[in-house]
């Protein structure tokens, strides 16, 4: 919604944000998949970085329409300008979102890696993880994507997502040393 408010509501802006999210999630999960060894604290650090980076992105949200306007006036109203504008927007969104969303893409593979540490119950825990991920996605879509917009602004909903990332950081750190929880 923030992208649509900044760029104008169109199928192009929607497609760009979806493309950036899918790319970043794929990159994040791929990078976890190629790692040979993952420490116990990696999931915690991942969630902490998501929280910090989401806060950093939040601080830029008010300037998105201004920068979208500056980018728009760089390109003429021709077919070449149209493609140049959206290519520039795609690159800008990718640079801005690749880290936080890429880390989000790493979360599920990291959680599965933690589950593998208890081989006797890996099937049970995998089922729980998939179930809670599905419930969370459904609940987040309905509540976060529909109901909260009647009560909160887009920026505040972004802060709710950041708060949920912070809560996941606390959950990831609950089995680690006390220094991580602090």
């Amino acid at each position: 919604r923030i992208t649509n408010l900044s760029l104008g509501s169109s199928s192009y802006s929607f497609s760009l944000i979806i493309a950036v999210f899918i790319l970043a999630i794929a990159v994040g999960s791929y990078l976890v998949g190629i790692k040979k060894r993952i420490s116990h604290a990696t999931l915690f650090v991942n969630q902490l970085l998501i929280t910090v980076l989401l806060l950093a992105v939040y601080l830029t949200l008010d300037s998105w329409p201004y920068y979208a306007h500056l980018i728009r006036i760089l390109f003429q109203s021709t077919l070449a300008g149209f493609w140049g504008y959206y290519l520039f927007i795609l690159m800008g969104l990718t640079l801005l979102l690749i880290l936080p969303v890429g880390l989000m893409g790493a979360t599920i593979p990291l959680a599965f890696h933690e589950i593998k540490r208890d081989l006797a119950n890996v099937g049970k825990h995998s089922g729980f993880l998939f179930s809670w991920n599905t419930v969370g996605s459904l609940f987040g879509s309905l509540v976060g994507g529909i109901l909260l917009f009647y009560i909160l602004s887009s920026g505040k909903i972004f802060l709710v997502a950041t708060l949920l990332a912070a809560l996941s950081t606390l959950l990831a750190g609950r089995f680690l040393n006390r220094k991580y929880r602090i």
Side-chain angles (χ1 to χ4, degrees):
R1 291 187 187 212
I2 294 167
T3 306
N4 282 344
L5 291 172
S6 301
L7 302 176
S9 185
S10 72
S11 59
Y12 299 112
S13 61
F14 179 76
S15 298
L16 285 176
I17 199 71
I18 294 298
V20 168
F21 265 73
I22 290 172
L23 172 69
I25 288 170
V27 167
S29 60
Y30 173 76
L31 291 176
V32 170
I34 63 172
K35 288 189 83 159
K36 299 291 182 208
R37 292 187 340 185
I38 299 173
S39 75
H40 284 290
T42 305
L43 181 61
F44 171 80
V45 171
N46 185 70
Q47 299 310 105
L48 182 63
L49 286 173
I50 290 170
T51 303
V52 170
L53 290 171
L54 284 178
L55 281 173
V57 171
Y58 172 76
L59 295 175
T60 70
L61 292 181
D62 286 341
S63 58
W64 282 27
Y66 174 71
Y67 288 118
H69 171 70
L70 288 181
I71 294 168
R72 180 65 194 113
I73 61 176
L74 291 174
F75 298 93
Q76 294 182 355
S77 295
T78 63
L79 187 58
F82 171 83
W83 289 109
Y85 170 71
Y86 279 109
L87 182 62
F88 198 91
I89 293 291
L90 176 65
M91 290 186 310
L93 285 172
T94 302
L95 287 174
L96 182 67
L97 298 175
I98 193 74
L99 284 177
V101 180
L103 291 169
M104 289 176 200
T107 300
I108 292 292
L110 287 172
F112 272 111
H113 181 75
E114 290 300 315
I115 287 171
K116 285 191 322 189
R117 296 185 195 277
D118 180 16
L119 284 178
N121 294 314
V122 73
K124 175 181 156 185
H125 293 306
S126 296
F128 282 140
L129 183 60
F130 273 130
S131 298
W132 281 110
N133 187 47
T134 303
V135 168
S137 296
L138 179 64
F139 186 76
S141 296
L142 294 176
V143 173
I146 298 172
L147 295 177
L148 281 181
F149 275 104
Y150 288 112
I151 307 168
L152 303 173
S153 65
S154 294
K156 288 182 179 159
I157 290 172
F158 198 92
L159 280 178
V160 168
T162 306
L163 175 67
L164 292 172
L167 289 174
S168 72
T169 304
L170 290 174
L171 287 173
R174 74 175 188 243
F175 296 117
L176 299 174
N177 294 339
R178 183 182 164 112
K179 70 177 181 176
Y180 290 103
R181 289 191 300 274
I182 291 172

